Amino acid sequence: MAIKNAFYAQSGGVTAVINASACGVIQTARKHPDKIGKVFAGRNGILGALNEELIDTSLESDEAIQELIHTPGGAFGSCRHKLKNISENRREYERLIEVFRAHNIGYFFYNGGGDSQDTAFKVSQIGDTLGYPITCIGVPKTVDNDLPFTDCCPGFGSVAKYIATSTLEASLDIKSMCETSTKVFILEVMGRHAGWIAAAGGLAGQGEGEPPHIILFPEIPFNREAFLERVDFCVKEYGYCVVVASEGSQYEDGRFLADAGAKDAFGHTQLGGVAPALANMVRQALGHKYHWAVADYLQRSARHIASATDVEQAYAVGKAAVEMALQGKQAIMPTIVREQSDPYVWKIGEAPLSDVANQEKKMPIHYITDDGFGITQDCRDYLQPLITGESFPPFDNGLPRVAKLKNTLAEKKLKTDFQF
């Protein structure tokens, strides 16, 4: 019986360390040539399987694969494509099996967040249904830190470090100019339904009056009057006010402050514009001079300031995914288990994909101060280890060195292309 090949793909929004997970998968598979043949990477996620566009990673040198550890973005391309249930779109699943069969693929590693783990779970179920057994392991990734059953999500620690650092540095800028210039600075960060990234901004200051003076969480309904009152107090008391606002900030009735009126491929409301919306409130009600910024893609691609803890964990879950598959495990996701916080000690655990799929882990209420505008000591104790340690990439001529892969596609074996 021929040794089975593996399919690995990246899904959803990429991170500063998702390629470290890819490195973990590929390097670990290469250590077991008697059990895993080639590792094919999907070009643009699951679309690579549907389109039979399989990148042959065996053509990449060991050195090139190693450089994935310090390369941000998605080295093989990612996508937002949600598989429907097999009863709704059997054709997609039949196509996946057709491609897997043609390329002798027996292992499926899907690197992504909640929606992606749902995809991995669905693929794990089709083996029996369509008569082609395939081992499916989810590889956790999301900057939002909202996957359940894992202490944290690879990708989050580096975003948290970037936001905490940016909040600290921008606050010093505002403080130095507030006497005659900007009084209010608003930083908009990612986080649709969970305020983990916004909370990380709170690590920038600890004492009374230290910025950020206000953090807006999706978990706490936005109150315009309370917000403006707090802004005005901070300007009068400290001379300036720094706000870190989650893009998912919403009113009590569930309306987002920044609903762009569109949906993404996963059916989520398209967000954007919390910072200017808040700035406009400040201008109209208080008249303070303001500046705002949107961290946007910068926060999730900032590999130059990645957390060493995050890089290590991202690699570890990729490595563990392959090891679990070789142990015969099925439909699970490696998790990070915290054993203690100070010093931070963690290990790899596992969770069923059926429990992980489409679930969101929000901020515990005891992580948020009673006024709804800050983080508690419990939250600090949780967050601090995740941003600890530096893992600087190598630099060439002043710029970070990144992996440059060939990304050569395997020869197609099917006669027909998939029609979406």
Side-chain angles (χ1 to χ4, degrees), residues 4-290:
K4 293 288 186 179
N5 298 316
F7 175 83
Y8 164 82
Q10 300 170 324
S11 177
V14 293
T15 79
V17 299
I18 188 173
N19 289 329
S21 293
C23 182
V25 168
I26 296 169
Q27 287 187 339
T28 306
R30 287 185 174 187
K31 293 178 180 178
H32 299 277
D34 57 327
K35 298 178 180 177
I36 298 179
K38 293 184 176 182
V39 175
F40 293 114
R43 182 180 179 183
N44 300 324
I46 196 71
L47 298 183
L50 293 171
N51 291 323
E52 199 188 359
E53 293 182 336
L54 308 180
I55 296 168
D56 187 349
T57 68
S58 71
L59 301 178
E60 308 290 349
S61 67
D62 289 342
E63 292 74 21
I65 296 302
Q66 178 64 29
E67 289 202 319
L68 288 173
I69 286 183
H70 55 75
T71 302
F76 307 109
S78 185
C79 73
R80 295 190 186 278
H81 182 79
K82 188 175 178 68
L83 290 179
K84 296 180 180 179
N85 292 322
I86 191 169
S87 59
E88 299 176 76
N89 196 343
R90 187 182 182 91
R91 191 169 60 92
E92 278 194 332
Y93 292 93
E94 290 175 341
R95 172 65 174 187
L96 288 177
I97 295 303
E98 187 179 31
V99 171
F100 292 162
R101 193 189 301 275
H103 293 271
N104 193 34
I105 292 170
Y107 302 95
F108 180 89
F109 302 107
Y110 211 45
N111 200 173
D115 289 305
S116 305
Q117 302 310 320
D118 175 67
T119 295
F121 177 57
K122 287 173 178 172
V123 172
S124 74
Q125 294 179 302
I126 65 174
D128 292 336
T129 304
L130 300 180
Y132 186 84
I134 186 162
T135 300
C136 296
I137 307 291
V139 184
K141 170 254 23 165
T142 174
V143 297
D144 291 331
N145 199 41
D146 59 357
L147 284 173
F149 307 107
T150 182
D151 177 64
C152 59
C153 303
F156 169 69
S158 295
V159 168
K161 191 179 185 78
Y162 178 87
I163 293 302
T165 301
S166 297
T167 302
L168 172 63
E169 294 176 339
S171 296
L172 293 173
D173 185 303
I174 303 303
K175 182 179 181 180
S176 66
M177 295 290 292
C178 66
E179 183 67 25
T180 58
S181 187
T182 302
K183 303 286 187 186
V184 179
F185 176 69
I186 302 165
L187 176 62
E188 178 181 325
V189 303
M190 290 178 173
R192 180 181 304 277
H193 296 125
W196 296 104
I197 299 177
L203 294 174
Q206 295 190 41
E208 174 63 30
E210 292 186 9
H213 305 102
I214 299 173
I215 303 174
L216 298 181
F217 307 92
E219 291 87 351
I220 303 296
F222 178 74
N223 182 303
R224 184 178 185 276
E225 289 69 32
F227 167 72
L228 292 171
E229 183 180 334
R230 175 66 178 165
V231 170
D232 200 38
F233 169 82
C234 291
V235 171
K236 290 175 179 175
E237 187 74 13
Y238 313 122
Y240 68 113
C241 180
V242 173
V243 180
V244 177
S246 169
E247 65 178 354
S249 300
Q250 54 191 281
Y251 294 102
E252 194 165 7
D253 63 5
R255 287 180 298 121
F256 290 107
L257 269 68
D259 187 337
K263 302 284 186 182
D264 67 15
F266 287 143
H268 302 312
T269 299
Q270 199 74 38
L271 301 178
V274 164
L278 293 170
N280 193 47
M281 291 181 196
V282 170
R283 179 185 63 81
Q284 290 180 339
L286 304 174
H288 296 312
K289 184 175 181 180
Y290 62 82

Side-chain angles (χ1 to χ4, degrees), residues 14-21 69 140-145 152-162 299-303 305-318 336 344 346 348 383-391:
V14 293
T15 79
V17 299
I18 188 173
N19 289 329
S21 293
I69 286 183
K141 170 254 23 165
T142 174
V143 297
D144 291 331
N145 199 41
C152 59
C153 303
F156 169 69
S158 295
V159 168
K161 191 179 185 78
Y162 178 87
Q299 66 200 298
R300 75 184 196 194
S301 60
R303 179 58 185 82
I305 194 172
S307 154
T309 298
D310 195 28
V311 174
E312 183 181 356
Q313 291 178 336
Y315 184 91
V317 295
I336 296 161
Y344 184 47
W346 58 277
I348 293 293
L383 292 171
Q384 194 67 58
L386 307 183
I387 72 166
T388 300
E390 286 64 57
S391 179

Side-chain angles (χ1 to χ4, degrees), residues 379-419:
C379 187
R380 290 181 183 279
D381 292 343
Y382 168 78
L383 292 171
Q384 194 67 58
L386 307 183
I387 72 166
T388 300
E390 286 64 57
S391 179
F392 299 119
F395 282 75
D396 292 329
N397 297 319
L399 291 174
R401 187 193 312 156
V402 297
K404 295 183 178 179
L405 304 182
K406 301 172 185 175
N407 279 353
T408 304
L409 295 178
E411 182 179 351
K412 289 190 176 184
K413 298 186 177 183
L414 301 176
K415 296 180 180 179
T416 58
D417 292 332
F418 185 71
Q419 301 299 316

